[in-house]
Amino acid sequence: MPAHTPAPTTPPANPLDRERAHLASSRAALRAMREDVEALDIKDVTGNWVNAAILAREIDNRIKALADLADTPLFFGRLDFLHAPGAELAEGGEAGGAARSASDKGGGGRGAGRFYIGRRHVHDTDGDPMVIDWRAPVSQCFYRASKKDPMDIGLRRRFGYTGGELTAYEDEHLTDPEESTGTSALLAAEIERPRVGPMRDIVATIQPEQDEIVRADVHGTVCVQGAPGTGKTAVGLHRVAYLLYAHRERLARTGTLVIGPNRSFLHYIEQVLPALGELDVAQATVEELVAHVPLRGTDTAEAARLKGDARMAEVLRRAVRSGITLPTEGCVVVRGSRRWRVASYELEEIVRELMDRGIRYGAAQAALPQRIAHAVLVKMEQAGEAPDDRVQDAVARNPAVKATAKALWPPVDPAKLVLRLLSEPEFLAQCADGLLTPEEQAAVLWPKPGRGVKTAPWTPADAVLVDETRDLVERTSSLGHVVLDEAQDLSPMQYRAVGRRCTTGSATVLGDIAQGTTPWSTDSWATALHHLGKPGSRVEELTTGFRVPGEVIDYASRLLPAIAPDLAPATSIRTAADTLTIRRVDGSAAPEEADALDAASALAPATPPALTDAVVAAAQAALRNEGSIGLIAADARVPVLGAALAAAGLPYLDPGTETNAESRLTLVPASLAKGLEYDYVVLDEPAAIVDGEADLRTGLRRLYVCLTRAVSGLNVLHTRPLPEALG
């Protein structure tokens, strides 16, 4: 027996002790798996240094994936089947063979059809499973089995942990008609567990409707309309982890990408996939995807909206092709003592045929010399010669042919072309004729013409236009799967930029129409999917909230008739009272009437300093609770509040910075709040958040976002009247 294999012992009599013993054995087995990989010697199995480097990298990733996180439960559930599951449940992924082995061997000797469900697969030295990966087919029953459809499950057991120590368990006998059906206390406790640090995985709490989305087929695109707190971001990330498990070879070859609204958001979610053992998923914002030019300028809301309009795609297509000219004279090729002439009408036929095919501009540009050379070869053959492909290639490189091709189909530099389009009114008018009105053209043009690519006043919307132009010239590489979060905020041109990165792959689109906070945000997922290049894709709606308390989501939902009248209000499974406090700071109450927990914030005269003092005091009071604290305010108020927090001796973090036990307070500009969650939120002056946006609807949507960031409690402080839509 290997040294790292624990010696067999008599199983403890107490059920909790038995489960703890299995946890200890599983951790030892995982440690042995890691040690086996660390001991691999690859010196004699690689043919060259390149192969050695690649294999060493794969081994290093494997070692990282086998890490045992001390504070993370190795397994969180157990399934006892009434009958050993068949092979159809055991197929697929890394754990497929292990699950099949478990069904054959009685769950590793721990009872027929018994499976421990965890974050990754763990097996003993004989290869028998000790923990089954949550993504394996057999694990699906853990998430979907119910009293109505027990899926042959006799017992579902959930485990409770404190840190990494197993402290409790809870059983559901799904086939027992006498057992009442109710909300799992351990499930609720896991959902409500205080948050410190980055976003964490939800493998222990995935709900049936979420699991259905997570396990959707890789070949199809899924769009998830999710109200706040419904877990849509977590669902998207877990879907990536599932697809990498079920289709690893394919996605390892084609790549996966998670796109978020900003870098702060990506920092917040970046540890979810590594915690699930997935280390090779790229993350980016849309701005980073299209970073072809240096950003130096800003657009007005109207200019940004127009530049993001789908009509700009046709404007750019016309601009790219504007330099194509039809020939007025032929092309003469001299080879040795012979002269071969391709008449102008023949050249015109070649150019028109390439234009009609609709292929990428750059591909047609490369093909044109070859087409002209082929016309010359036809004439050679008609004259009795027998040229081959080498002759055609030589003719295509002939100076006369190259000069003719360049004159007819000139090269295009995407950045320079867009610079010209946004700088020259006459050129824009030529390309936008019948598409943009003169007033719209004037709004799109830069106030001052750009002099060069490096110094032009490029804006984020301009960069998307450059990206579109690049794709018109040369095809953008496609990935196997793309997750697009907070998708409601993208313009049609941004959707196109994302869509061309998964033209041959699939996508998971996540968002909430009610949280659209850009002037160009979409009002229809059908329209968004059309621009993405995925029309007719499946749209799922998540309306049951698990994170935001019911009292908070009900209050925020008062805004829905004004911001998204077609959406159904979200509901919450959490109905705790006293999770919402709304306080007007106007000096109308005596200090002794103030909340004892927040005595320092006794209502003061309705002045900005009074509000600032009250908000700082509310943040101090919130810090007496366990978990993370978010102080959310209009962007313009952030510097004032930052100075006040510093003066009060309260250190705070910027959005996206990982919280810890010592630093739990984050000062969040309203524009960066989307997608973030905090145990307790202090919200400063809602009216200022609304006023900070270009129009009332966008302002109310921004406020809706800010109202729904709290997991355990929301404290709203204001001096100005609340928006009328809140009632």
Side-chain angles (χ1 to χ4, degrees), residues 298-564:
T298 56
D299 281 314
T300 64
E302 177 64 7
R305 185 188 67 79
L306 288 169
K307 290 177 180 179
D309 194 293
R311 292 175 293 172
M312 289 301 297
E314 176 60 21
V315 173
L316 293 171
R317 192 192 72 84
R318 292 181 183 178
V320 167
R321 290 174 166 249
S322 63
I324 300 174
T325 58
L326 296 177
T328 56
E329 58 183 30
C331 174
V332 178
V333 178
V334 178
R335 281 186 60 81
S337 61
R338 301 292 302 270
R339 295 165 61 89
W340 307 95
R341 177 181 175 80
V342 182
S344 60
Y345 74 88
E346 294 177 282
L347 294 174
E348 181 174 340
E349 289 177 358
I350 294 172
V351 171
R352 289 190 181 278
E353 191 269 336
L354 288 174
M355 293 174 64
D356 293 341
R357 285 186 59 190
I359 61 177
R360 293 294 194 281
Y361 186 90
Q365 180 189 7
L368 182 54
Q370 289 287 340
R371 295 297 180 87
I372 297 174
H374 179 72
V376 173
L377 260 64
V378 170
K379 297 180 184 300
M380 290 180 177
E381 291 170 347
Q382 291 172 346
E385 296 189 16
D388 56 18
D389 290 344
R390 290 174 297 177
V391 174
Q392 179 169 325
D393 290 339
V395 173
R397 295 193 298 269
N398 183 278
V401 172
K402 291 170 64 177
T404 298
K406 184 176 181 180
L408 299 178
W409 206 286
V412 167
D413 181 292
K416 290 181 179 179
L417 184 75
V418 176
L419 182 147
R420 181 187 174 198
L421 192 71
L422 300 177
S423 300
E424 299 181 13
E426 298 80 7
F427 185 50
L428 177 61
Q430 170 192 334
C431 299
D433 183 38
L435 295 172
L436 302 179
T437 66
E439 293 76 17
E440 290 174 327
Q441 293 175 32
V444 166
L445 286 167
W446 286 329
K448 294 182 179 180
R451 296 185 177 181
V453 171
K454 293 184 178 180
T455 58
W458 299 108
T459 69
D462 299 335
V464 180
L465 300 182
V466 175
D467 190 72
E468 177 86 20
T469 307
R470 286 169 62 94
D471 187 68
L472 289 168
V473 177
E474 300 290 344
R475 183 182 299 276
T476 303
S477 298
S478 177
L479 298 164
H481 192 79
V482 170
V483 174
L484 175 61
D485 206 349
E486 301 297 349
Q488 73 281 345
D489 277 340
L490 269 60
S491 69
M493 293 299 287
Q494 288 175 317
Y495 282 123
R496 291 173 62 90
V498 174
R500 54 179 160 265
R501 285 164 172 82
C502 56
T503 51
T504 59
S506 56
T508 302
V509 181
L510 311 166
D512 180 9
I513 297 293
Q515 296 185 57
T517 52
T518 57
W520 50 83
S521 59
T522 187
D523 286 322
S524 164
W525 288 122
T527 301
L529 290 167
H530 170 75
H531 293 310
L532 192 69
K534 307 291 184 182
S537 295
R538 167 182 165 191
V539 179
E540 297 285 348
E541 186 170 3
L542 298 176
T543 58
T544 302
F546 305 98
R547 299 292 300 171
V548 184
E551 190 177 8
V552 174
I553 196 65
D554 290 345
Y555 182 70
S557 293
R558 297 181 185 182
L559 296 173
L560 287 179
I563 62 176

Side-chain angles (χ1 to χ4, degrees), residues 208-242:
E209 63 271 24
Q210 296 173 325
D211 187 66
E212 184 177 347
I213 297 170
V214 166
R215 298 175 192 266
D217 188 74
V218 69
H219 300 290
T221 289
V222 179
C223 176
V224 182
Q225 159 62 41
T230 55
K232 56 183 177 295
T233 296
V235 166
L237 295 175
H238 287 66
R239 175 159 162 74
V240 170
Y242 171 77

